[in-house]
Structures are given as C-alpha cells and as structure tokens.
Amino acid sequence: MFLPAREYALGETLRSGQAFRWRAREGAWEGVVRGRWVRLKQETEGIRAWTASRERDWLEDYLQTRVEIERVTATFPQDPHLAGAVAACSGLRLLRQEPWECLASFILSSTKQIVQIQQIVGLVCERFGDRVPAPVAAYSFPSAERIAGLAESDLRDCKMGFRAPYLKATAEMVAAGEIDLESLSNMYVEQARAQLIKCAGVGRKIADCVLLFAYGFQQAFPVDVWILRALCQLYFPRRRPSAKRLLRFTQTYFGPNAGYAQQY
DNA sequence: GACCAGGCCGAGC
DNA sequence: GCTCGGCATGGT
C-alpha cells in the first residue's frame, strides 16, 4: 500500500532513537508494529509499505503521516539553534508507538547506548515474543503478562543487567492492572506522568519518553544527558542552571510542541 | 585497566 | 529538598 506524506524523512525518523526495532535491508526498513510485520520504503510523494494487513489506519497512526510538519515547526520559538536543527533534520517525525512496548523499551534504555538497547530489545522479542507472519523471521514484542511470568534470570540473559528487576516489576504491575496504560491517553499530562513514575525503573526522563513517543503528549520534553548538555551549552553558556530552572525553561520556552523541538 | 553509556533508586545530609 | 554511589554489560 502507499501512504501519502509530504516532508517525511523516514530513515531519520526510524533511527532517531525513539524506536529500537527497525532494521535497514536492501534500501528499505523492516520492523514489527503492534504485532504486524511491515517493510517500508521512502518515495518522493510518501511511503510505500508491504505488509500482510490490508488495513492502513494502524500504520498511518504509527508513522503519523497525516501530521503537517510545517505547522508543528511553525510553533517553535525564533531561535538560530532550533532553526539549524530544523534545517538539518527536515522531515523528522515523532512516531506513535504502542505504550507497553515503548515503556518496556525505555526501561531498558538507561545508561545504554542505542545499539545496545536495540540488541537487548531484539533478544527479548526473539526469545519471548511470538512469531508473526513475515517473509523473514519476525517477532512481536512480548506482552506484559508474558514478561511478568518469566524468571528474572531469563531477562538477565538478554543482557539487560540491573534493569531486569525493573522490567519484571513493571510488567507485573501492568499485568495485574495496577496501572492501566490504556487510560493514560484520557488524562492530563501531569496525571499520566505520575502514573508512569509509579512503575519500577521509571523516573521523569523515561516517563516523558513514553508520554511523547507512545501517547503523543507534545508538551513532554525528555531530558537525557545529551539534551542536558545541549541546553546548557546553547541557552545557558557559562552558567550553571539548577535542575528546577532548567525544567521550567523546557516547559515554557519551546511552546506547545516542545517535544518535537526536543527531538529536532 | 580506566572510563563511559538516551537513569533510577536509596541513603545520607 | 539535594547530592552521590551503586547498579550490569559492552565498547573504546
């Protein structure tokens, strides 16, 4: 099928560190979205997709192809740093991922480099996910129930180290219904963030990643070590802003689409 | 061998 | 309230 999309940088989007399961193969991108294998290829007027399903809503939703990116970047503050970033990454989008996979993946992300996160997530899917229909071996992301039922050692064997008990505890909370991931989309952002932070291994940064990459809360602004360095260098040169001051800056300066600004 | 990587948690001020 | 060490694992 074909998804029309203007100004969409597929490759940049899929390897921008928001999702960890895409692989480049023969000039296309292969991955699994909500249990469906799909192969994507950039074309001038949009994105070509090969997949078993004939429906398209799930893929348009995931890729956010209907978002008019110029309307988003137009809300950014006038600022040479941001203008440079927009020019350098034109067409970059935020995806709309499945919440559980996003939450679990970012629990596994702490103090790991992206290649290693990809490796860990890949192992988890291969070992505990289900095979999905595809021309190559492909697996779904294992459900919270599935992970909750595993031994911590099974998880550690996927090279996730000290993150294993966090992932297991969070999977147990989700499986037991102590946190309802579905319901978060109907909440205010602060309320949804407080829910996520109840999970083991989830603090402000990981919560904001999930709010932004899975739920589309565009005000969420994940501050990782790299963003922190960039903010200090670009906006607070030769000063030492407190964490509180810096947080307030991210929540006011960048406007209603701060999360997009962060990604750029 | 030392140091660091898309943090979080718990202890000690 | 804030700061700081510890936490696995793999790569420079």
Side-chain angles (χ1 to χ4, degrees):
Chain A
M1 74 178 96
F2 182 73
L3 310 181
R6 291 182 43 251
E7 289 287 308
Y8 199 114
L10 181 64
E12 285 77 356
T13 297
L14 297 182
R15 51 187 181 74
S16 63
Q18 32 177 341
F20 303 103
R21 298 195 60 200
W22 292 98
R23 295 282 182 278
R25 230 170 69 104
E26 297 168 2
W29 292 91
E30 295 181 354
V32 176
V33 175
R34 293 184 180 271
R36 300 175 172 102
W37 179 88
V38 60
R39 175 179 162 88
L40 302 172
K41 196 164 189 172
Q42 176 94 61
E43 293 186 1
T44 47
E45 301 294 318
I47 297 164
R48 181 78 56 189
W50 293 264
T51 179
S53 170
R54 240 162 256 171
E55 300 164 21
R56 56 195 295 137
D57 284 359
W58 60 278
L59 192 53
E60 285 185 327
D61 182 58
Y62 179 87
L63 293 170
Q64 296 280 290
T65 46
R66 291 178 176 169
V67 170
E68 293 180 54
I69 200 66
E70 301 90 339
R71 298 172 78 106
V72 174
T73 55
T75 68
F76 292 173
Q78 298 291 319
D79 164 338
H81 308 125
L82 218 38
V86 170
C89 315
S90 72
L92 178 65
R93 307 302 184 98
L94 289 173
L95 300 169
R96 187 68 60 89
Q97 300 179 58
E98 196 281 310
W100 163 245
E101 174 174 343
C102 189
L103 173 59
S105 298
F106 277 94
I107 286 173
L108 299 176
S109 76
S110 71
T111 53
K112 277 290 178 194
Q113 301 187 103
I114 289 177
V115 276
Q116 311 224 33
I117 303 166
Q118 291 169 335
Q119 187 193 15
I120 297 168
V121 171
L123 283 170
V124 169
C125 294
E126 272 176 42
R127 295 190 182 175
F128 308 117
D130 298 319
R131 281 292 295 266
V132 298
V136 294
Y139 303 85
S140 65
F141 192 91
S143 67
E145 291 76 11
R146 177 82 171 104
I147 290 180
L150 296 171
E152 189 182 307
S153 58
D154 294 330
L155 294 172
R156 282 187 185 264
D157 288 346
C158 296
K159 306 183 179 181
M160 65 181 73
F162 63 83
R163 303 158 195 82
Y166 294 153
L167 180 60
K168 183 167 161 60
T170 295
E172 285 167 353
M173 280 185 64
V174 172
E178 288 174 48
I179 174 172
D180 177 10
L181 294 180
E182 285 281 319
S183 68
L184 267 58
S185 41
N186 302 319
M187 296 181 183
Y188 291 107
V189 62
E190 297 84 0
Q191 201 181 358
R193 181 184 292 119
Q195 287 293 305
L196 290 169
I197 287 178
K198 289 198 309 185
C199 298
V202 179
R204 169 84 189 210
K205 189 269 175 181
I206 291 177
D208 278 359
C209 285
V210 178
L211 292 172
L212 186 61
F213 301 143
Y215 292 97
F217 284 104
Q218 315 259 313
Q219 320 94 300
F221 193 103
V223 178
D224 62 39
V225 290
W226 300 101
I227 291 289
L228 182 64
R229 285 170 200 167
L231 289 177
C232 287
Q233 195 176 321
L234 298 175
Y235 298 101
F236 301 89
R238 288 180 298 281
R239 275 179 289 168
R240 188 85 206 119
S242 69
K244 194 176 174 183
R245 174 81 190 83
L246 204 66
L247 193 62
R248 197 176 45 181
F249 177 74
T250 66
Q251 295 301 289
T252 52
Y253 178 74
F254 293 103
N257 296 298
Y260 254 103
Q262 181 273 162
Q263 193 68 5
Y264 275 87

